[in-house]
Amino acid sequence: MNPIQSVLITGANAGLGREAARQLALRNGIEKIYLACRNLEKAEAAKTALEAETGKRIFEIIIMDVSDLSSVREAVAGMKSAVDAVILNAGGTGGRRPNALTNAGVTNIFAANILGHVVLVDELLERQLITSTVLYAGSEAARGIPKMGVAKPDMQSLSAEEFAAIADGSKFGQDADPLDVYSYIKLVGAHWMGAMARQHPHIRFVTMSPGGTTGTNGMDDLPFLKKVFFKYIGGTLMPIFGMMHSVETGARRYVDGLLNEKFESGHFYASREGSPTGPVIDQAEIDFTLANPDFQDNANQAVHRFAA
């Protein structure tokens, strides 16, 4: 693998994305970090703060809304040079209408977490603007976290049709809880990355969960009571019981997954079974279906139905 000198991070103005940018800037050899954000004002504030915190002037803003495929394509078309790596960090619970459909025919929550990133990676590959590594933000929710009340996704066939039903929301209905849907979406993402690794062996595709992380903004659009619990009450109590760790620890997983070659292409790394924190392992050790190439190809086929 070629040394990574430049990195593009989606959702880079706050939370895990911003912290990953800070940590990477302090690593030897990193010469350029692109902050891909949808809001210019917030991006500029993050850039100014990162420069002050790191003493580095290596940050560049790219305006990109991963929920909007035209925004993604315009952003890539405007890139003047290739990047070595990309961290697909943006996501969350899909805004105030997570189950509403976008123009692409997928739900808002699916667009934010997967489809925009699918198009981003496809565009980078087609234009030969990515040279080394793609890292996707996975989640332990994809295989369930019983201690946190997160059930394992109930998949019947893992067919392309079932994955497509996750994308357009027909598997759940309009009143589905976005936290439940989120686990299915992250499962689709892990399978998609596995398929991409086999299709593009010259690029390293790693799915890495940041783990249960306090201080993120991914829960901001949840209903009030759930937001209060997960972001404030849970964020205080869960670390005590080992169910959450700091944003610094979560972002460090990204950085390790990006720079440490022991994390293999096509694999999904997250915490050990039963926990969203602690050392990471290959999740195929917990759920062997994650390494099934047929299921991976089904997921890849399904997401690309909506990427045109």
Side-chain angles (χ1 to χ4, degrees), residues 25-245:
L26 297 174
R27 291 291 187 109
N28 291 332
I30 301 297
E31 298 179 355
K32 177 70 73 172
I33 297 174
Y34 296 92
L35 308 175
C37 310
R38 61 183 178 180
N39 182 288
L40 179 59
E41 183 178 355
K42 291 180 179 179
E44 289 177 337
K47 178 176 181 287
T48 299
L50 285 165
E51 288 176 344
E53 292 169 19
T54 65
K56 302 286 185 69
R57 294 187 176 276
I58 62 173
F59 303 97
E60 184 174 321
I61 294 170
I62 295 178
I63 296 302
M64 179 190 301
D65 181 352
V66 296
S67 297
D68 181 347
L69 301 189
S70 62
S71 173
V72 174
R73 291 188 172 105
E74 288 172 9
V76 176
M79 291 176 62
K80 295 179 173 58
S81 59
V83 294
D84 296 317
V86 58
I87 298 178
L88 307 177
N89 163 73
T93 52
R96 296 183 178 181
R97 301 179 63 216
N99 300 316
L101 296 181
T102 69
N103 291 336
V106 302
T107 60
N108 283 321
I109 186 172
F110 191 90
N113 284 280
I114 294 188
L115 190 60
H117 286 142
V118 169
V119 170
L120 172 58
V121 172
D122 284 351
E123 291 288 315
L124 290 173
L125 287 168
E126 182 177 347
R127 296 170 182 264
Q128 298 184 335
L129 291 173
I130 179 76
T131 68
S132 176
T133 302
V134 174
L135 185 140
Y136 175 69
S139 173
E140 285 81 1
R143 44 78 169 168
I145 317 170
K147 288 182 180 179
M148 296 183 71
V150 179
K152 180 180 179 179
D154 182 17
M155 299 294 289
Q156 302 300 311
S157 64
L158 291 103
S159 63
E161 288 68 27
E162 187 171 24
F163 285 122
I166 294 170
D168 65 19
S170 59
K171 184 173 175 68
F172 314 107
Q174 284 295 307
D175 297 324
D177 187 325
L179 289 179
D180 293 335
V181 175
Y182 181 81
S183 63
Y184 286 84
I185 288 173
K186 287 300 183 179
L187 178 63
V188 178
H191 280 297
W192 160 65
M193 286 285 286
M196 292 295 284
R198 288 183 288 104
Q199 288 188 11
H200 305 279
H202 65 293
I203 300 292
R204 186 165 154 260
F205 288 83
V206 176
T207 300
M208 175 65 75
S209 171
T213 305
T214 61
T216 66
N217 57 351
M219 301 297 175
D220 284 347
D221 293 313
L222 287 174
F224 178 74
L225 290 178
K226 285 190 175 182
K227 181 173 75 171
V228 168
F229 176 78
F230 280 99
K231 190 167 184 180
Y232 301 106
I233 299 175
T236 300
L237 297 177
M238 287 184 182
I240 297 173
F241 298 101
M243 302 306 290
M244 282 190 175
H245 51 217

